[in-house]
Amino acid sequence: MTVDQIPSVADRRGSAPAAGPAISRPRTSIATRRHRAFYMFASPWIIGFALLTIAPMAYALWLSFTTFDGISPRWHYVGFGNYRELFSDAQTWKSLGRTGLFAITSVPLSIIAGLGLAVLVNRPLRARGLFRTLLYLPAVVPPVGAGIAFKQLFDQNSGAANGVLNLFGIDALGWLADPYARYVLIMTVLWTAGNIMIISLAGLQDIPRELLEAARIDGASAWRSFRSITVPLLSPVLLFQTVTGVIASVQTIMPLLLAPDPTPAGITALPQSNYLYMMHVFAEYFAFGRYGYASALLWVLFVLILVATGLIFKATSGVVFYNVDPEAKK
C-alpha cells in the first residue's frame, strides 16, 4: 500500500460534520451588569421605603382631606377644610410656638454639650476609651426607658432630685409640672449628647494636626485655635447636627413619656410648657379621634421641616467650610 492509499485519521473516524451558523449572543455591558447588581441589592430598601414610607404618607395625605375618625365608615370629603381650621386653631399656633422655642433652646445646648465632651475625650487621657464608652452609653438607652427613668428621678414624692434638695433644706419641687417641666424636658435632650459627641469626635480626629501645631508655633492660644481652626473645619459636622437636631426636636414624643398619665385620656392634662406640636397631633389622633385633622397637622409639619431645613442651608451657605466643593461636577 502506498502512502497515498493510507487512510487519514479523519477518514477512519468519519468526516467531521459541517459547522452550522454561529449563534450570536448579545453581550451585556459592564455598566448594565453594575446597574442590575445595584438595584438587586437596593431592592429591599426600595420596597421597604415604598411600602413603609411612601404609602403611609400618601394615605395620610388622603385622610387630611376627610373627616375620617378611624372607626366609623361615615366619613366625608371636606377638601381643604381641615387646613383652614388648622390655621385658625389657636392651640395649633401655641403648640407650634412652644415647639420652636424648644428647638431653639435644646439644639444649641445639645451641640455645645456634645462638642465639649468630644474635645474632652479627644485629649490624651488615661482610660480614654472607658470614658468614651461611659459618656456614650446613655445615648443607646431606648427613649421609653429614658422617659421612665427621668419620670422616677424627678417624681415629686419619691424622686432622687427632691431627695437631694431636702438634704439642703429646700422644699420638694413639682418637677413634672409647670414651670419646671420644660427644664426636665431639656435635660432629657442633653442626656443623649453622646450621639453628638461621637460624631464630633470623628470630625475632630479628621482635622490635620499640622494646622493646630502651626497655630501654636505662631503664638495662638488654645481658644483662638479652637475658634479659628477647629470650628471652621467642623462646620459641616455642626451643620449636619443642627439639621438633624431640629428635625428630631420638633418630632419629639418625650413630653408624653414624662406625663403623669401617658394615655390618650391624660394627654390633655400635660403641663402647658410641654404641650408641643406632636402632643397636639397625638391628642387629635387618639384623644379626640380626628384622624383627618391630625393628618393635616402632620403634613403641615412636614412642609415646615422642609422650609426650616432649606433656610438653615441658605443661612449657613457662606460659613460652612468643605474640604471638597460639594457643588463640583464630577
Side-chain angles (χ1 to χ4, degrees), residues 47-106:
I47 295 173
F49 181 74
L51 295 179
L52 302 178
T53 302
I54 299 298
M57 289 180 65
Y59 181 64
L61 181 62
W62 172 76
L63 285 182
S64 68
F65 297 109
T66 68
T67 59
F68 185 60
D69 61 358
I71 300 176
S72 174
R74 298 180 179 179
W75 56 269
H76 303 283
Y77 177 79
V78 294
F80 290 95
N82 288 326
Y83 292 93
R84 287 192 294 268
E85 180 183 353
L86 184 155
F87 287 108
S88 61
D89 186 0
Q91 189 64 264
T92 298
W93 288 105
K94 290 179 181 178
S95 62
L96 187 61
R98 297 187 197 103
T99 303
L101 180 62
F102 171 69
I104 293 174
T105 305
S106 62

Side-chain angles (χ1 to χ4, degrees), residues 152-163:
Q152 296 295 327
L153 181 64
F154 290 97
D155 185 82
Q156 184 173 1
N157 299 319
S158 59
N162 281 331

Side-chain angles (χ1 to χ4, degrees), residues 6-326:
I6 298 176
S8 63
V9 176
D11 293 336
R12 293 197 301 266
R13 294 182 179 178
S15 59
I23 300 176
S24 60
R25 296 180 179 178
R27 292 185 176 180
T28 304
S29 64
I30 296 178
T32 302
R33 290 198 297 269
R34 288 179 176 175
H35 283 104
R36 289 178 181 175
F38 167 78
Y39 286 111
M40 182 181 67
F41 284 106
S43 58
W45 181 88
I46 295 174
I47 295 173
F49 181 74
L51 295 179
L52 302 178
T53 302
I54 299 298
M57 289 180 65
Y59 181 64
L61 181 62
W62 172 76
L63 285 182
S64 68
F65 297 109
T66 68
T67 59
F68 185 60
D69 61 358
I71 300 176
S72 174
R74 298 180 179 179
W75 56 269
H76 303 283
Y77 177 79
V78 294
F80 290 95
N82 288 326
Y83 292 93
R84 287 192 294 268
E85 180 183 353
L86 184 155
F87 287 108
S88 61
D89 186 0
Q91 189 64 264
T92 298
W93 288 105
K94 290 179 181 178
S95 62
L96 187 61
R98 297 187 197 103
T99 303
L101 180 62
F102 171 69
I104 293 174
T105 305
S106 62
V107 173
L109 286 177
S110 60
I111 292 177
I112 292 173
L115 181 58
L117 293 176
V119 172
L120 178 64
V121 298
N122 193 43
R123 300 176 63 85
L125 304 174
R126 288 185 177 180
R128 184 171 56 179
L130 177 62
F131 284 117
R132 292 176 180 177
T133 303
L134 293 177
L135 291 173
Y136 180 68
L137 275 179
V140 302
V141 176
V144 175
I148 294 174
F150 271 85
K151 190 175 177 179
Q152 296 295 327
L153 181 64
F154 290 97
D155 185 82
Q156 184 173 1
N157 299 319
S158 59
N162 281 331
V164 174
L165 294 180
N166 291 333
L167 294 177
F168 295 94
I170 302 175
D171 295 335
L173 300 177
W175 290 102
L176 301 179
D178 286 328
Y180 304 105
R182 68 184 67 185
Y183 304 120
V184 177
L185 182 60
I186 293 177
M187 291 180 193
T188 62
V189 176
L190 297 178
W191 171 259
T192 60
N195 283 328
I196 297 178
M197 179 198 72
I198 290 297
I199 299 174
S200 299
L201 181 61
L204 288 174
Q205 294 179 348
D206 193 47
I207 296 177
R209 293 189 176 273
E210 294 79 5
L211 297 178
L212 299 176
E213 290 293 335
R216 186 179 61 82
I217 294 173
D218 289 340
S221 62
W223 169 248
R224 180 60 185 273
S225 298
F226 178 79
R227 182 170 58 88
S228 300
I229 298 177
T230 304
V231 172
L233 293 179
L234 276 180
S235 54
V237 175
L238 299 178
L239 174 61
F240 168 78
Q241 294 170 346
T242 301
V243 172
T244 56
V246 169
I247 294 174
S249 62
V250 300
Q251 298 182 84
T252 182
I253 61 169
M254 191 57 71
L256 180 63
L257 301 177
L258 296 174
D261 183 15
T263 63
I267 189 66
T268 55
L270 274 175
Q272 284 299 304
S273 59
N274 281 2
Y275 194 83
L276 304 183
Y277 193 87
M278 284 302 296
M279 299 302 98
H280 186 46
V281 172
F282 183 89
E284 294 294 337
Y285 260 118
F286 303 108
F288 307 131
R290 304 184 64 192
Y291 279 46
Y293 185 67
S295 298
L297 288 171
L298 286 178
W299 266 97
V300 169
L301 179 63
F302 175 70
V303 173
L304 290 177
I305 289 175
L306 289 180
V307 172
T309 303
L311 291 176
I312 292 174
F313 275 103
K314 185 68 175 178
T316 59
S317 59
V319 296
V320 177
F321 172 80
Y322 293 98
N323 290 328
V324 179
D325 185 6

